[in-house]
Amino acid sequence: MGKLLQKPKSFYNEFFRSPSPDKLSTHYCPGCGHGVIHKYVAEAMDDFGIADNTIWISPVGCSVFGYYYFDCGHQQVPHGRAPAVATGVKRSHPEAIVISYQGDGDLAAIGGNNIIQAANRGENITVIFVNNSIYGMTGGQMAPTTLVGQTTTTSPYGRNPANEGYPMRMAELIAQLEAPVYVERVALNNAQNRNKTRKAIRKALKIQIDKKGFSLVEILSQCPSGWKVSPVDSLKWMEENQMPYFPLGVFKDVVEQRNPLETKPRIWDKDTIIKMLDLDRQVKEYAKPNPTKDIYEQPKIKVAGFGGQGILMLGVLLSEAAMLNGKQVTWIPSYGPEMRGGTANCQVVIRNNKVGNPSVDKPTILIAMNQPSLDRFEKDVIPGGLIVINETLVTSGVTRDDVDVLAHPFSDIADKQLGTVKVQNSLILGALIKHTNMLDQQAIFDALPAHIKKIDLIPLNKKAIELGFSLG
Amino acid sequence: MPEETELTYPRVEVDFDLCKGCGLCIVTCPVKCLEISPELNKKSYHPARYKGTGCTGCGLCFYTCPEPGAITVFPKDYKPEE
Ligand SMILES: Cc1ncc(C[n+]2csc(CCOP(=O)(O)OP(=O)(O)O)c2C)c(N)n1
Ligand code: SF4
Ligand code: SF4
Ligand code: SF4
Ligand SMILES: [Mg+2]
């Protein structure tokens, strides 16, 4: 028997999510190309039997409600971000078929870089790119794909290249990249081209099923409402306006040359994850700390200095040790755009229970590794708090008399007595722990292996911490 | 439209209320066996309808129609189930 052509099974029987009382029709305008394309994708999903395994990424645009219609998994995403979300979805569900369905405003304007990067990474996704040369949903504004001379609400005199640039040929642009496997532009203008569109969609999905990589099908699609023509005239409009500028054809097809992508198996089991994150360490019993002052039991600490002085690491080691010691901790780094030479600081909050606010505006303890840090943060330290000063670089001394001061030329000591200034942070850490007794000293040593990746540097850091104890 | 006493295949069926009267199927049909209905449907469109004869079952109308359920094309050897 010939094929009965009826509503594809991959559509819901009823569009029950739609708020409209009519649960059988789409929300699209009469004659809209989106509906046609939906039908082709649904038919292909039927034929490949993939609906139950498909995750449809709905964009912002007229097709925002894709999830009303297709009987598959869904994620609706912010404007232009479909390729990024599709990437995440595909990587976490490599066996799923992920369709990034996007309009031209979505894909070429706000999401321009998103699509280029996803294509360039060769994500194994299928992008259905619906080019109607306009922002349909918002009432007909100019898109990057709006044609020269085309009037829209935001190009009322017609698009003028001197003012708005030329329409972007996205399929050609994407096809220039190395990674994409298949890029074709098709159109809905006549029966022959609609048939090619159906085939292109199927081919793109098959590529994904075969794990061959990224494919994009750009479809010239009518928007009678935005173009302000009748549905029947819109096909002629497409031929006269879109098609001369957007040539149809295959811009890239390397399917045969490409091997299936290897996807690494997912690791879902708890044990492996615990191992990977190094959470299976033996939990030791540490002594309950006996701080020298009550405020050191749950301190807020700011460590500040030049980038490259080991400031972030000092905070990390302190945080790790505090966690080992049974505390709740947050650590927030903050540094300038430059890795070295700029300023850096980190904020550590140590609590017996949950941390409410991880930012440290009023530190209990300030560690000032250089002069600008002291100048900037001295006034913020709480009365009765502690300022640790690296006298090698801080020459002015503390002006306040309501705080404690622990001052040594830490950089010099590290350089002369330990052979390298690099361990000045561990030296300070040792001094701080000794001075405040806020944590079990053993916890500090035990914190080192998790963060000092070069194992042979651990003994030197231990030595620095021990020397620090004598300075506290 | 005259009532057909016996349905013949191939044939096309347009759902009266699901059609939005865009007319794309009508201009697409190679044998021009679809037309606009003079009546309004419940969405106040003039839907397309089958003239009653001539359909070849080519399916071109189905693939030009944007509405998922508006058009059904029955092939030549279609056996209606009881
Ligand atoms: C971040 C953000 N910016 C702007 C908008 C407004 N907006 C909604 S749809 C749209 C354009 C959609 O055009 P297109 O992607 O071509 O889809 P079409 O409606 O034409 O299918 C814009 C700009 C939005 N929703 N979110
Ligand atoms: S505005 Fe254009 S793209 Fe949006 S539903 Fe209407 S015809 Fe389709
Ligand atoms: S199936 Fe072909 S012949 Fe029949 S109505 Fe549709 S387009 Fe016309
Ligand atoms: S194409 Fe579909 S919606 Fe448009 S007139 Fe024909 S049946 Fe109706
Ligand atoms: Mg658009």
Side-chain angles (χ1 to χ4, degrees), chain A residues 103-105 130 132-136:
Chain A
D104 48 335
V130 181
N132 54 17
S133 291
I134 203 145
Y135 290 1

Side-chain angles (χ1 to χ4, degrees), chain A residues 118-437:
Chain A
N120 194 50
R121 290 191 302 269
E123 299 298 339
N124 186 26
I125 60 174
T126 302
V127 180
I128 306 291
F129 170 36
V130 181
N131 178 357
N132 54 17
S133 291
I134 203 145
Y135 290 1
M137 183 193 210
T138 40
Q141 294 79 6
M142 189 183 69
T145 42
T146 289
L147 297 151
V148 172
Q150 184 181 340
T151 53
T152 68
T153 57
T154 47
S155 57
Y157 306 109
R159 182 179 189 153
N160 174 1
N163 216 28
E164 290 98 25
Y166 287 93
M168 292 174 78
R169 297 187 179 100
M170 292 308 290
E172 287 87 329
L173 203 144
I174 299 292
Q176 293 306 310
L177 299 169
E178 188 61 28
V181 176
Y182 167 59
V183 181
E184 179 167 3
R185 183 183 290 115
V186 289
L188 298 181
N189 67 306
N190 62 29
Q192 193 192 355
N193 283 334
R194 285 192 285 268
N195 202 26
K196 282 192 182 164
T197 303
R198 281 173 64 213
K199 285 194 176 137
I201 289 169
R202 300 170 92 83
K203 176 163 174 150
L205 287 172
K206 183 74 170 57
I207 286 168
Q208 187 179 170
I209 292 166
D210 294 343
K211 298 188 171 22
K212 293 274 187 116
F214 184 92
S215 59
L216 180 142
V217 180
E218 174 172 343
I219 305 169
L220 303 183
S221 170
Q222 66 272 19
C223 171
S225 305
W227 298 350
K228 305 206 173 357
V229 291
S230 72
V232 168
D233 289 344
S234 71
L235 302 185
K236 203 159 147 253
W237 194 99
M238 185 187 294
E239 286 165 10
E240 287 172 355
N241 297 283
Q242 276 193 306
M243 290 172 62
Y245 189 85
F246 294 114
L248 306 186
V250 177
F251 297 100
K252 184 158 190 195
D253 182 354
V254 292
V255 181
E256 295 308 320
Q257 290 93 300
R258 292 278 169 91
N259 294 322
L261 301 166
E262 274 182 42
T263 46
K264 296 217 171 71
R266 275 181 287 166
I267 302 160
W268 280 125
D269 74 292
K270 203 170 150 196
D271 292 346
T272 317
I273 291 173
I274 287 174
K275 233 191 164 90
M276 278 172 69
L277 296 178
D278 198 21
L279 296 175
D280 56 348
R281 276 171 279 160
Q282 289 282 313
V283 182
K284 275 196 207 163
E285 285 295 315
Y286 292 97
K288 194 170 181 298
N290 186 17
T292 52
K293 276 187 174 183
D294 286 350
I295 51 168
Y296 298 147
E297 192 188 339
Q298 302 191 70
K300 293 187 158 202
I301 299 145
K302 182 163 258 165
V303 192
F306 292 129
Q309 282 186 306
I311 282 150
L312 305 187
M313 181 58 92
L314 203 169
V316 165
L317 292 174
L318 182 62
S319 304
E320 182 74 31
M323 286 195 288
L324 290 174
N325 225 166
K327 302 281 190 176
Q328 301 277 332
V329 186
T330 56
W331 169 86
I332 301 181
S334 152
Y335 40 85
E338 60 287 84
M339 282 298 282
R340 274 165 209 283
T343 56
N345 72 68
C346 69
Q347 318 180 34
V348 176
V349 177
I350 299 177
R351 288 285 181 261
N352 289 337
N353 294 309
K354 279 185 181 152
V355 176
N357 175 5
S359 81
V360 178
D361 301 331
K362 302 226 168 299
T364 321
I365 299 167
L366 169 67
I367 300 174
M369 302 277 279
N370 64 6
Q371 186 69 49
S373 302
L374 181 65
D375 296 346
R376 188 160 159 216
F377 298 119
E378 178 182 346
K379 63 176 187 335
D380 299 337
V381 178
I382 60 166
L386 171 67
I387 302 184
V388 183
I389 287 180
N390 175 24
E391 283 181 314
T392 308
L393 295 180
V394 178
T395 46
S396 78
V398 173
T399 54
R400 285 173 59 175
D401 55 10
D402 62 343
V403 293
D404 286 344
V405 176
L406 173 61
H408 290 286
F410 290 107
S411 303
D412 270 343
I413 296 170
D415 197 38
K416 303 229 164 62
Q417 298 188 36
L418 297 161
T420 170
V421 71
K422 280 189 183 157
V423 290
Q424 60 187 340
N425 52 359
S426 294
L427 185 69
I428 292 174
L429 186 58
L432 175 72
I433 295 304
K434 183 66 203 279
H435 186 86
T436 60
N437 209 20

